[in-house]
Amino acid sequence: MTHSLPPPARIALVDDHPVIGAALASTLAAEHRLLFIGQATTVQEMHHLLAHQHPDLLMLDLSMADGNGLELLPLLRALHRHLPVLVYSMGDPRLYAERAIRAGAAGYVCKDAPIRDVLDALHTVLRGELYLPPIIARRLLRSCTAPAAPQPSPLMTLSNRELAVLHLLGHGNTPAEISQHLNVSLKTVKRAQRQIQDKLGLHTRGALLYAAMHVAYGST
């Protein structure tokens, strides 16, 4: 008696760079247990994709042209509570991974991770388990066994929105552009900037921009 193989897991991507989707599709083409079914490059396209394609797992970038992944995660969990979301980002996992998990992600993997790690992340999340980059898993293990945990980075005190504002500032966006990008008022953006400066002890705009560039380009 022959046994038919189960259908491949359907994987969708939300990322505003088509080249990322093309690379992911090429990678998954060699995996008989995984099927890449499409990419959304905007939040609106994401909602359409979820309504019509019904993926088994959604890969989500944190930085979108019309939204912020950390703020999308609670919405996705509320609207699609059985859909696991794997964050797929260039953001420093030391800064973003735990935030993503707290916001509702089932895992976090870096875009520059080896292909085997990306595949491991996909299969782990599809099994219903949590996936974290090794550097974060080791840090969590140390925090459970160390006699005294080190003081967290001041960046960890920022809210998700404040972190998004700081990231966009680091990429050269003006407050008005950030307002449009995050779909919030200019007043909200300026208030976030003041809160960032207060929390990080930054007393000049130059210091704020310097910190923003470090966040945007992966230094912590």
Side-chain angles (χ1 to χ4, degrees), residues 39-80:
Q39 176 177 3
T41 59
T42 67
V43 174
Q44 183 177 358
E45 287 181 8
M46 177 192 74
H47 290 302
H48 184 272
L49 183 151
L50 292 176
H52 293 87
Q53 296 294 332
H54 308 294
D56 297 307
L57 182 149
L58 184 69
M59 300 179 75
L60 174 69
D61 189 15
L62 291 183
S63 181
M64 299 287 295
D66 61 342
N68 175 259
L70 287 175
E71 295 188 344
L72 281 174
L73 281 166
L75 176 64
L76 285 168
R77 184 168 58 178
L79 296 178
H80 306 276

Side-chain angles (χ1 to χ4, degrees), residues 5 80 82 144 147 166 184 200 204 211:
L5 293 174
H80 306 276
H82 296 299
C144 293
L166 192 62
V184 297
L200 301 186
T204 66

